[in-house]
């Protein structure tokens, strides 16, 4: 079910023409359903195109440089701008001597504090612990209402984070970091 088509009248329906009216409504309902489905497909296609264009733009900019810092910065800048977020970060993940994460690149809109270069134990970043355990993005609409993020609330308050999404990065199946985006000016799904 994509929707419902309703026809109302102030006069009672004539029983003798009900079958004809019902047939006409079915035709209009089918056409309306097809149009709703077309709009849904068009929206999905637009999102897919946006992703492809983002990847193409990042890839082109990366090809012009072999400087790792510039590549990482280009990536966070483009992601931050395209998704219109307050902060975008790339974290590096190290297992020796203990599991730690470090912000190695950061996109940041004005009026928010930078986290670039900060290093913390992985166990203090519950959102990344969860992201590292799966191959899909992990969204948090309200970081203050998520029970698993409870131990990180003081960090989110300090850096004005309201919503975030995190996805792990990996090489040959091994986690080596994460990309995290923050929305600081509002809660965002």
């Amino acid at each position: 079910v994509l929707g419902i088509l309703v026809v109302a009248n102030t006069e009672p329906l004539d029983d003798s023409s009900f079958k004809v009216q019902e047939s006409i409504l079915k035709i209009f309902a089918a056409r309306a359903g097809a149009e709703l489905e077309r709009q849904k497909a068009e929206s999905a296609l637009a999102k897919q195109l946006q992703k492809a264009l983002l990847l193409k733009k990042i890839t082109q900019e990366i090809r012009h440089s072999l400087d790792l810092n510039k590549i990482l910065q280009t990536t966070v800048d483009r992601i931050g701008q395209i998704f219109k977020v307050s902060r975008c970060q790339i974290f590096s993940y190290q297992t020796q001597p203990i599991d730690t994460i470090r912000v190695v690149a950061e996109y940041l809109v004005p009026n928010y504090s930078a986290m670039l270069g900060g290093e913390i134990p992985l166990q203090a970043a519950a959102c990344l612990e969860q992201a590292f355990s799966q191959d899909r993005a992990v969204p948090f609409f309200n970081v203050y209402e998520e029970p698993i993020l409870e131990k990180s609330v003081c960090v989110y308050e300090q850096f004005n984070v309201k919503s975030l999404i995190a996805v792990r990065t990996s090489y040959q199946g091994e986690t080596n970091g994460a990309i995290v985006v923050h929305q600081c000016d509002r809660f965002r799904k």
Side-chain angles (χ1 to χ4, degrees):
V1 175
L2 298 173
I4 187 166
L5 177 62
V6 177
V7 177
N9 195 353
T10 57
E11 300 294 323
L13 287 174
D14 179 8
D15 288 341
S16 64
S17 63
F18 179 75
K19 288 289 184 194
V20 172
Q21 292 170 344
E22 181 182 34
S23 297
I24 292 170
L25 284 177
K26 283 183 179 180
I27 292 168
F28 280 105
R31 180 63 192 121
E35 180 60 21
L36 289 172
E37 191 62 32
R38 185 196 64 76
Q39 287 176 354
K40 197 164 89 174
E42 192 176 273
S43 175
L45 188 59
K47 286 180 183 178
Q48 189 176 10
L49 178 61
Q50 183 182 23
K51 277 188 208 176
L53 291 173
L54 172 63
L55 288 174
K56 181 181 177 185
K57 192 169 190 171
I58 290 171
T59 301
Q60 286 173 341
E61 291 183 28
I62 286 172
R63 284 185 181 156
H64 293 302
S65 172
L66 294 178
D67 176 11
L68 178 62
N69 291 331
K70 186 174 180 184
I71 291 169
L72 296 175
Q73 191 61 49
T74 296
T75 302
V76 293
D77 288 346
R78 293 296 167 252
I79 292 170
Q81 291 163 0
I82 295 290
F83 288 96
K84 296 177 176 65
V85 294
S86 307
R87 182 184 291 116
C88 179
Q89 303 165 316
I90 294 180
F91 285 86
S92 171
Y93 172 58
Q94 304 294 321
T95 58
Q96 299 296 331
I98 61 168
D99 289 359
T100 58
I101 54 168
R102 184 170 57 90
V103 181
V104 294
E106 181 174 54
Y107 163 84
L108 186 65
V109 297
N111 302 322
Y112 294 106
S113 301
M115 300 171 75
L116 187 61
E119 187 172 304
I120 58 171
L122 179 60
Q123 61 195 17
C127 71
L128 292 182
E129 281 185 311
Q130 187 168 358
F132 285 178
S133 70
Q134 53 198 325
D135 277 328
R136 63 179 183 82
V138 181
F140 297 98
F141 168 64
N142 183 339
V143 298
Y144 303 105
E145 292 180 355
E146 296 287 345
I148 70 162
L149 300 182
E150 189 174 23
K151 62 185 174 185
S152 303
V153 166
C154 61
V155 174
Y156 299 137
E157 287 174 343
Q158 179 183 355
F159 290 99
N160 300 92
V161 179
K162 292 189 169 143
S163 301
L164 70 84
I165 190 167
V167 63
R168 80 181 186 126
T169 60
S170 59
Y171 179 70
Q172 295 183 344
E174 294 294 319
T175 301
N176 61 5
I179 298 175
V180 179
V181 295
H182 294 162
Q183 196 68 52
C184 299
D185 59 337
R186 67 189 187 282
F187 294 102
R188 179 175 170 185
K189 287 191 178 179

